[in-house]
């Protein structure tokens, strides 16, 4: 069986170091905050090329707390519009509504699945205050062009970089383009913890201070609460484990790129539409997503070969029950993608032989006899 992702094996590579990190935390006596959190925040900020990293409990909180901080700072007003892609994971939209803001769903480029400046510019109104680009599957939105547009309209930019650890454009990394960026360290991410964890990166000193306060009950001094905050702090155990894995991220990314290159050159079946990369983009291939109008058949076909696949994502946000108020929207690109996308196995543990099995199976796929007739 070629598993989509085996987290146990993925982490087993670092078992000794991970166990040592756990022991270090236990022996330190710091179980909230402390040196491991401080060290990881510094190391990840340096990695991304950002002045600050604020550890939080998860990726959703990273986005929500950033939006809330802008509200507290008076940079946006309650109910303001936030532009988000129509084909994102629902957490992007949840962050907007959790902060009391209004999500405006913008259709992506159907080939790259990413927001483009033209679509974003058309969606801007007098109520728009934030653009939230999602670096979907590990590929950067054209951030220089998007930042130029944002500055022209005096808009804030919050990168949803939950899938883009280490992705870059002309050498600049995700998390350092926008006014802030939210990261998830969910275990299946390219840089994954062994539980929930997240972070915000920013070079705005005041914003960083407010986000940190909001995640600590709205307090910067114990028992003195400036804001109506929440409890969303990066756990020191997860910080220590992430510190073990961060130095291996570059090598893991290179292996992901190698596998993606093999898929791109080896899969030739015209029934499968392969992912496209933009110019000058250093894709980190969190997911390798193909498109086909015969997804159910393809998924069953690959299962016969012992190949596990996933669907990211089977239902667009505006079609979720949680956002029934948005069901009237006509978003044909997102609606088509939800019926056609299929993620193939891609992780650093795959051998070249396993990659070839996937390639051969994809190339051998053909419609059922019923469909041919």
């Amino acid at each position: 069986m070629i598993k989509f992702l085996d987290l146990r094996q993925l982490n087993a590579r670092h078992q000794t170091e991970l166990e040592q990190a756990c022991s270090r935390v236990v022996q330190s006596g710091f179980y909230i905050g402390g040196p491991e959190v401080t060290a990881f925040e510094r190391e990840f900020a340096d990695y991304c090329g950002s002045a600050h990293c604020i550890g939080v409990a998860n990726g959703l909180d990273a986005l929500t707390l950033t939006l809330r901080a802008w509200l507290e700072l008076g940079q946006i007003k309650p109910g303001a519009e936030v532009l988000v892609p129509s084909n994102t994971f629902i957490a992007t939209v949840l962050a907007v509504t959790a902060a009391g803001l209004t999500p405006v769903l913008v259709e992506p480029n159907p080939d790259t699945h990413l927001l483009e400046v033209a679509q974003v510019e058309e969606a801007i109104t007098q109520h728009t205050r934030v653009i939230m680009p999602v670096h979907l599957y590990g590929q950067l939105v054209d951030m220089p062009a998007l930042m130029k547009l944002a500055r022209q309209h005096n808009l804030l930019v919050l990168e949803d970089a939950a899938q883009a650890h280490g992705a870059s454009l002309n050498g600049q990394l995700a998390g350092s383009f926008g006014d802030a960026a939210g990261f998830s360290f969910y275990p299946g991410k390219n840089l994954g913890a062994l539980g929930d964890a997240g972070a915000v990166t920013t070079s705005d000193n005041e914003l960083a201070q407010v986000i940190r306060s909001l995640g600590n009950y709205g307090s910067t001094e114990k028992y003195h609460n400036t804001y109506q905050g929440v409890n969303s702090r990066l756990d020191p155990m997860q910080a220590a484990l992430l510190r073990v894995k961060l130095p291996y991220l570059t090598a893991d990314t290179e292996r992901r790129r190698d596998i993606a290159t093999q898929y791109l050159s080896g899969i030739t079946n015209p029934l499968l539409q392969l992912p496209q990369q933009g110019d000058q983009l250093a894709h980190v291939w969190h997911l390798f997503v193909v498109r086909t109008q015969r997804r159910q058949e393809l998924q069953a076909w690959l299962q016969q070969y012992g190949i596990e696949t996933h669907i990211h994502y089977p239902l667009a946000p505006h079609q979720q029950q949680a956002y029934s108020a948005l069901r009237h929207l006509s978003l044909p690109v997102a609606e088509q993608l939800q019926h056609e996308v299929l993620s193939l196995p891609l992780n650093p543990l795959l051998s070249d032989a396993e990659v070839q099995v996937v390639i051969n199976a994809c190339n051998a796929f053909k419609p059922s006899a019923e469909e041919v007739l």
Side-chain angles (χ1 to χ4, degrees), residues 8-290:
R8 184 188 61 79
Q9 287 191 6
L10 197 68
N11 289 307
R13 302 176 300 165
H14 314 302
Q15 184 163 338
T16 299
E17 289 178 89
L18 292 172
E19 290 175 349
Q20 291 172 347
C22 290
S23 178
R24 196 166 65 237
V25 173
V26 171
Q27 294 175 22
S28 73
F30 288 95
Y31 307 130
I32 300 291
E36 295 292 345
V37 174
T38 300
F40 174 73
E41 288 179 337
R42 182 181 63 252
E43 291 161 6
F44 193 67
D46 290 345
Y47 175 83
C48 294
S50 188
H52 303 281
C53 169
I54 307 96
V56 296
N58 53 68
L60 173 57
D61 284 359
L63 300 174
T64 305
L65 291 174
T66 302
L67 294 171
R68 283 201 56 196
W70 281 329
L71 283 162
E72 295 289 356
L73 289 167
Q75 293 181 270
I76 55 178
K77 295 181 179 179
E81 292 179 350
V82 180
L83 306 185
V84 301
S86 60
N87 61 319
T88 185
F89 180 56
I90 198 169
T92 313
V93 185
L94 288 172
V96 176
T97 54
L101 302 170
T102 304
V104 176
L105 304 181
V106 181
E107 291 273 72
N109 180 303
D111 294 323
T112 65
H113 305 193
L114 301 175
L115 284 182
E116 288 192 338
V117 167
Q119 292 100 319
V120 173
E121 189 166 22
E122 288 181 5
I124 294 173
T125 73
Q126 62 180 341
H127 304 295
T128 306
R129 281 300 294 128
V130 181
I131 305 172
M132 195 184 300
V134 178
H135 304 315
L136 200 62
Y137 310 147
Q139 181 171 204
L140 276 179
V141 172
D142 185 351
M143 290 305 297
L146 191 69
M147 293 304 298
K148 181 179 179 181
L149 175 69
R151 297 302 177 241
Q152 289 171 350
H153 293 270
N154 193 30
L155 302 177
L156 296 163
V157 176
L158 173 55
E159 300 173 65
D160 183 339
Q163 300 183 357
H165 315 75
S168 63
L169 176 59
N170 297 324
Q172 186 174 348
L173 270 66
S176 64
F177 287 94
D179 298 286
F183 285 89
S184 167
F185 303 117
Y186 180 79
K189 302 299 186 186
N190 290 22
L191 178 60
L194 274 68
D196 270 323
V200 178
T201 56
T202 182
S203 291
D204 184 325
N205 297 337
E206 188 176 25
L207 179 65
Q209 182 180 17
V210 176
I211 292 170
R212 191 176 296 282
S213 177
L214 283 170
N216 186 41
Y217 301 100
S219 173
T220 53
E221 180 184 355
K222 194 169 185 178
Y223 302 130
H224 294 268
N225 303 81
T226 306
Y227 312 106
Q228 295 179 19
V230 298
N231 177 10
S232 181
R233 300 173 294 208
L234 177 60
D235 184 89
M237 188 69 75
Q238 299 302 336
L241 299 174
L242 286 166
R243 291 188 67 203
V244 169
K245 299 179 72 175
L246 180 58
Y248 296 99
L249 180 57
T250 298
D252 280 356
T253 299
E254 289 307 312
R255 178 56 184 162
R256 287 177 178 274
R257 289 174 177 155
D258 179 52
I259 293 169
T261 298
Q262 293 182 58
Y263 279 159
L264 290 170
S265 61
I267 298 174
T268 57
N269 191 330
L271 294 175
L272 278 66
Q273 181 179 329
L274 300 180
Q276 294 189 14
Q277 297 184 76
D279 294 336
Q280 302 298 316
L281 289 169
H283 203 316
V284 295
W285 298 102
H286 173 61
L287 297 171
F288 190 95
V289 179
V290 299

